[in-house]
Amino acid sequence: MKVKVLFFASLREQLGTGGEEIELPAGAGTLADLRAHLARRGGAWQTALAEGKLVRMALNQDMVKASAPLRGGDEVAFFPPVTGG
Amino acid sequence: MQIEDFDAGAEARALARANAKVGALASFVGLVRDLNDGAAVAGLALEHYPGMTEKAIAAVIDEARERWDVLDCTVIHRVGELRPGDQIVLVAVASAHRGDAFAACEFIMDYLKTRAPFWKKERTPAGARWVEARASDERAAARWNAADRRKAG
């Protein structure tokens, strides 16, 4: 199952990328699973996405909890708490 | 979302003229400050999540319409490079009466600050830094739910 992943603001800078298409490993069914999968890449990924880091998540452009389930073709975004206005 | 500046007066007048039922118009303009968290701010860059930004703001406006008697409403948020004194955001709400206009305007602003995907990066003498989210903004947004619970109870 493939999903599109986007990164914004400080997270985008830390990871050095605005996003990518990712083939999810078998058994990865939620945003939390995807986050853990990315963190396992180590280095900046581990630092930026480690458990306990304040990271907000969006699924198909709606803010969601980490337990939200993923489907093929979904657009997922990871970003820091928002600071507009 | 736009890079260009806006004319808050013209936006407010347009809202007021569009509907003869409008008896109250509340508007808020957010500006870039030259000082934040103890550092001089030379300017800031506003990043957003195209697509989600529009969706999030529309959802906030829908929620305001469910809670209050809102006749019409304009929200403009700038992105890109801004300098101290520049306007960042406009929220203007037209209603029949002032209570709804004031409340809906403040609600939209509070929710926008915690739900719309914008991020500010400041330029300071010590270098550029991402602005940290404030707990006070989360509390400002949360109090609208607390107010609902009080009403319901």
Side-chain angles (χ1 to χ4, degrees):
Chain A
M1 168 167 93
K2 261 192 177 168
V3 295
K4 182 179 172 188
V5 185
L6 301 172
F7 307 104
F8 290 95
S10 53
L11 219 54
R12 173 178 53 74
E13 286 187 352
Q14 277 177 280
L15 300 175
T17 175
E20 59 185 287
E21 292 264 341
I22 289 181
E23 178 69 42
L24 285 176
T30 67
L31 268 84
D33 295 338
L34 170 60
R35 176 176 172 173
H37 172 65
L38 292 170
R40 278 195 293 275
R41 289 175 171 178
W45 297 88
Q46 169 62 29
T47 312
L49 298 170
E51 264 184 72
K53 288 272 164 145
L54 209 50
V55 174
R56 299 271 190 257
M57 287 161 246
L59 177 60
N60 299 323
Q61 306 187 345
D62 286 317
M63 212 95 86
V64 292
K65 294 200 169 109
S67 56
L70 288 170
R71 269 184 259 164
D74 278 344
E75 178 176 303
V76 178
F78 293 96
F79 45 79
V82 301
T83 57
Chain B
M1 258 59 50
Q2 59 186 48
I3 291 166
E4 311 80 46
D5 197 12
F6 51 80
D7 180 343
E11 297 294 342
R13 281 192 297 279
L15 271 188
R17 281 188 195 137
N19 189 334
K21 292 195 185 76
V22 173
L25 201 139
S27 69
F28 172 86
V29 175
L31 306 158
V32 180
R33 266 176 293 127
D34 67 353
L35 194 75
N36 190 32
D37 288 335
V41 175
L44 57 82
L46 256 156
E47 177 174 334
H48 76 122
Y49 178 174
M52 179 173 169
T53 318
E54 292 82 352
K55 204 172 165 184
I57 291 176
V60 170
I61 292 172
D62 284 348
E63 200 163 337
R65 284 180 178 278
E66 277 170 27
R67 290 172 181 236
W68 294 282
D69 167 28
V70 173
L71 290 169
D72 210 347
C73 157
T74 300
V75 175
I76 298 175
H77 203 299
R78 294 177 71 192
V79 294
E81 297 288 331
L82 298 173
R83 288 179 304 181
D86 281 352
Q87 304 188 113
I88 304 178
V89 61
L90 166 75
V91 175
V93 177
S95 180
H97 303 287
R98 71 181 184 286
D100 289 82
F102 273 132
C105 184
E106 192 169 19
F107 170 87
I108 290 171
M109 203 49 223
D110 285 345
Y111 267 45
L112 193 143
K113 282 198 84 95
T114 52
R115 295 191 178 184
F118 292 99
W119 301 273
K120 293 191 186 107
K121 190 177 194 181
E122 296 174 333
R123 292 194 305 278
T124 74
R129 64 179 188 188
W130 290 98
V131 174
E132 299 266 333
R134 292 172 194 275
S136 59
D137 287 335
E138 285 292 339
R139 284 195 297 274
R143 76 201 152 107
W144 295 103
N145 289 321
D148 285 351
R149 278 198 296 276
R150 274 199 301 277
K151 233 185 270 174

